[in-house]
Amino acid sequence: MEDSIFTKIVKGEIPCQKVYEDENILAFLDIRPIQPGHILVVPKLQVQFVWDLPDDIYAQLMAVTKKLALHMREQLPQKYIHEAVVGLDVPHAHVHLIPFNESSELRKDPSEIVQASDESLKAMAKKLTLDV
């Protein structure tokens, strides 16, 4: 399988604003966030579908996702954190964490989603980084 964009990020070939990393999982800010603070949680092992992950890595992915969601709730003003496993855009298992207050904030037209500035991503990463 050809390396996905997420595998290239894991390998350090493409930069990202990391908010969490351990031996099996990497979490970073989405550069085209649905809402500011939108995080992608990815296993370092490239498989297309979350349910194809080995059980131990799947469990670790979900545990890290929960930790990050709870941390986001403490650090951000939004009341809710949306968790989604979609998998249509990148053929590499991943979980989206998106802060929001109203469900309408999750339904943006793709033309409304723009690339975040480096400055805003760095500031958000500083706020959301979770040490292992």
Side-chain angles (χ1 to χ4, degrees), residues 35-120:
Q35 292 295 325
H38 180 168
I39 291 175
L40 299 168
V41 188
V42 302
K44 291 182 176 180
L45 174 66
Q46 180 177 322
V47 298
Q48 185 169 0
F49 302 106
V50 169
W51 298 275
D52 292 334
L53 286 166
D55 290 346
D56 60 331
I57 295 177
Y58 174 84
Q60 187 177 3
L61 176 70
M62 292 301 135
V64 168
T65 297
K66 179 179 178 180
K67 265 188 221 178
L68 282 165
L70 293 172
H71 182 65
M72 291 169 75
R73 233 176 35 185
E74 291 174 358
Q75 299 299 315
L76 299 174
Q78 290 85 357
K79 185 175 180 180
Y80 303 104
I81 306 298
H82 177 70
E83 177 182 331
V85 176
V86 184
L88 297 175
D89 47 348
V90 177
H92 188 131
H94 60 286
V95 178
H96 294 262
L97 290 174
I98 306 166
F100 72 104
N101 284 316
E102 303 290 330
S103 61
S104 61
E105 295 172 319
L106 299 172
R107 294 186 216 107
K108 280 193 171 177
D109 184 279
S111 66
E112 295 175 337
I113 301 171
V114 297
Q115 186 160 331
S117 71
D118 288 341
E119 297 79 30
S120 66

Side-chain angles (χ1 to χ4, degrees), residues 12-32:
E13 296 170 6
I14 296 175
C16 71
Q17 288 297 324
K18 293 179 190 178
V19 295
Y20 178 89
E21 183 173 21
D22 64 30
E23 68 279 358
N24 294 314
I25 308 297
L26 177 65
F28 52 92
L29 292 170
D30 193 315
I31 62 170
R32 293 179 49 86

